[in-house]
């Protein structure tokens, strides 16, 4: 796989073809309140809310054992270290240690300045003012390489992990993780790799993210992340990384791999220009959903849990609720929720965190509540959609779906089910 960078607009609607099942054989994450997927699921299952930055990571991260200098890893940008930690955890859970000549990495990564780049820029600007320079806080990754914060983390991680099939950086805004997973599935389907790591990192400089969303009018002034809540007033940005290891299901079964879930389809669409960054289009979201089920070869009525994008912005949540209710109109009862009520909006990494939530729910046989789910918006009052206000048993076949909708109309919908 050639090293390259893909922008969101470079991907058109998915070609509808039968989707060979893909097994999730490994997981890893660095998220608010959780430095591993099991802790993340435990937080979800118990309704814990963690809206702070990533805490305690340096105490658990081991910079040794990579195919690169340990001191360089330890001094790298936090976002890169999060990717290395999550990716190595996913590989180890899949039972893969050492070099991987037939493995690759697809990483969603927002192309905004990282902490390392912001720190490097500040030191350049203040080079002639040593008195001010001495007041700057210590930040990892403050060197010239921090200028390449969009594509370099993916390629650096692939080299450090010994992934011989290369790497690709993807930006599709808040749908980046699911776009990355779709491309990883394509590489497995094409036979270009036997194992793929896919997911995303959200590690931009916090000040830039907050100022940007505030300028767009999308930032919650109260600092509360309340998806589908009638009193929601905007999103709460979050940081972290989440990555899964993927194999063709038939190969995973033959190799007696641990199988946490099976991907049955990933539909993409792009609805182009609409009324603005925070005004998504219903028809584009519906096209992504339809593409996923066309690939899978079964209907949406077979899904019994839906993880929504649902950021807590009033306009965006209402559009998503209407589009989802229209597409699932034939469903009798569809419970749904959003992990953004627990950890805020992870931007590029939100879809990967949502997938980890669904994998935990599949394993536990529980449909988890959305934190603070009282007083849902009116668009959920009619039709098949039901916001989960309490944990409930998940009887029968455990098949779930996940939506991620990004700026510019980058839409994605993924189907995952329990492995029988």
């Amino acid at each position: 796989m050639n090293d390259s960078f893909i922008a969101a607009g470079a991907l058109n609607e998915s070609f509808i073809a039968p989707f060979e099942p893909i097994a999730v054989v490994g997981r890893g994450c660095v998220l608010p309140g959780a430095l591993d997927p099991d802790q993340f699921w435990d937080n979800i299952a118990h309704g814990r809310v963690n809206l702070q930055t990533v805490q305690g990571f340096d105490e658990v991260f081991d910079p040794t054992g990579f195919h690169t200098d340990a001191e360089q890893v330890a001094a790298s940008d936090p976002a890169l270290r999060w990717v290395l930690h999550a990716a190595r955890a996913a590989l180890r859970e899949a039972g893969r240690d050492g070099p991987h000549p037939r493995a690759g990495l697809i990483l969603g990564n927002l192309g905004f300045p990282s902490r390392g780049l912001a720190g490097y820029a500040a030191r350049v600007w203040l080079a002639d003012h040593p008195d001010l320079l001495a007041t700057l806080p210590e930040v990892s990754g403050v060197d010239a390489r921090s200028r390449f914060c969009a594509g370099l983390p993916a390629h650096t991680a692939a080299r450090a992990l010994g992934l011989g099939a290369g790497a690709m950086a993807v930006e599709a805004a808040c749908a980046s993780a699911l776009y990355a997973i779709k491309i990883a599935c394509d590489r497995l389907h094409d036979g270009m790799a036997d194992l793929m790591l896919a997911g995303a990192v959200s590690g931009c400089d916090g000040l830039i993210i907050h100022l940007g969303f505030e300028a767009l009018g999308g930032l919650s002034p109260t600092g509360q992340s309340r998806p589908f809540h009638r009193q929601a007033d905007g999103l709460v940005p979050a940081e972290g990384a989440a990555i899964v290891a993927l194999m063709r299901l038939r190969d995973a079964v033959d190799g007696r791999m641990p199988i946490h879930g099976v991907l049955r389809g990933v539909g993409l669409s792009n609805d182009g220009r609409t009324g603005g960054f925070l005004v998504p289009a219903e028809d584009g979201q519906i096209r992504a959903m339809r593409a996923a089920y066309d690939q899978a070869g079964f209907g949406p009525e077979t899904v019994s849990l839906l993880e929504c994008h649902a950021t807590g912005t009033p306009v965006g949540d209402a559009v998503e609720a209407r589009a989802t209710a229209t597409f699932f109109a034939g469903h009798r009862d569809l419970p749904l929720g959003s992990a953004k009520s627990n950890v805020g909006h992870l931007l590029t990494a939100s879809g990967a965190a949502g997938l980890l939530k669904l994998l935990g729910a599949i394993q536990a046989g529980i449909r988890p509540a959305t934190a603070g789910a009282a007083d849902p918006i009116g668009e959920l009052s009619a039709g098949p959609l039901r916001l989960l206000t309490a944990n409930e048993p998940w009887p029968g076949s455990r098949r779930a779906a996940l939506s991620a909708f990004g700026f510019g109309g980058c839409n994605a919908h993924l189907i995952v089910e329990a492995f029988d």
Side-chain angles (χ1 to χ4, degrees), residues 64-291:
T64 64
F66 294 103
H67 298 272
T68 190
D69 182 70
E71 290 186 5
Q72 180 180 336
V73 171
S76 62
D77 189 274
L80 173 57
R81 287 183 285 135
W82 298 343
V83 171
L84 291 173
H85 178 84
R88 181 164 61 181
L91 286 171
R92 286 178 171 173
E93 195 169 65
R96 294 291 191 264
D97 286 320
H100 315 279
R102 293 274 298 167
L105 168 66
I106 312 293
L107 182 71
N109 185 23
L110 197 64
F112 282 6
S114 65
R115 289 175 180 166
L117 176 53
Y120 175 72
R123 280 155 178 76
V124 172
W125 294 332
L126 298 177
D128 296 331
H129 302 276
D131 54 331
L132 295 176
L133 190 62
T135 66
L136 294 180
E138 290 295 325
V139 178
S140 297
V142 179
D143 59 36
R145 287 167 296 189
S146 298
R147 293 174 296 161
F148 309 104
C149 55
L152 190 62
H155 306 303
T156 302
R159 289 194 295 270
L161 294 164
L163 307 182
M168 178 185 289
V170 179
E171 183 181 340
C174 305
S176 294
L178 296 196
Y179 270 60
I181 290 172
K182 174 61 167 64
I183 297 170
C185 291
D186 290 344
R187 298 293 76 79
L188 292 169
H189 291 154
D190 295 344
M192 297 178 66
D194 296 327
L195 185 147
M196 291 296 300
L197 295 175
V201 60
S202 177
C204 302
D205 179 71
L207 178 60
I208 292 173
I209 291 296
H210 279 78
L211 289 176
F213 278 112
E214 187 174 31
L216 289 169
L219 192 68
S220 168
T222 61
Q224 300 180 76
S225 184
R226 297 182 289 183
F228 291 135
H229 195 288
R230 197 180 298 271
Q231 302 302 319
D233 55 4
L235 60 84
V236 177
E239 62 180 22
I243 292 176
V244 292
L246 306 173
M247 292 180 65
R248 291 176 289 270
L249 178 61
R250 50 187 165 86
D251 293 343
V253 171
D254 290 344
R256 299 182 180 276
M257 305 293 291
I259 299 177
H260 302 280
V262 179
L263 307 185
R264 296 299 307 274
V266 187
L268 308 181
S269 76
N270 192 296
D271 51 52
R273 181 182 292 244
T274 60
F277 269 151
L278 300 181
V279 185
E282 294 181 36
D283 62 332
Q285 296 180 3
I286 290 173
R287 287 201 306 274
M289 297 179 203
R290 183 178 299 117

Side-chain angles (χ1 to χ4, degrees), residues 21-44:
I22 297 295
V24 180
V25 295
R27 310 158 300 155
C29 71
V30 176
L31 297 171
L35 302 180
D36 65 75
D38 292 335
Q39 181 62 60
F40 180 60
W41 165 249
D42 190 70
N43 291 343
I44 294 287

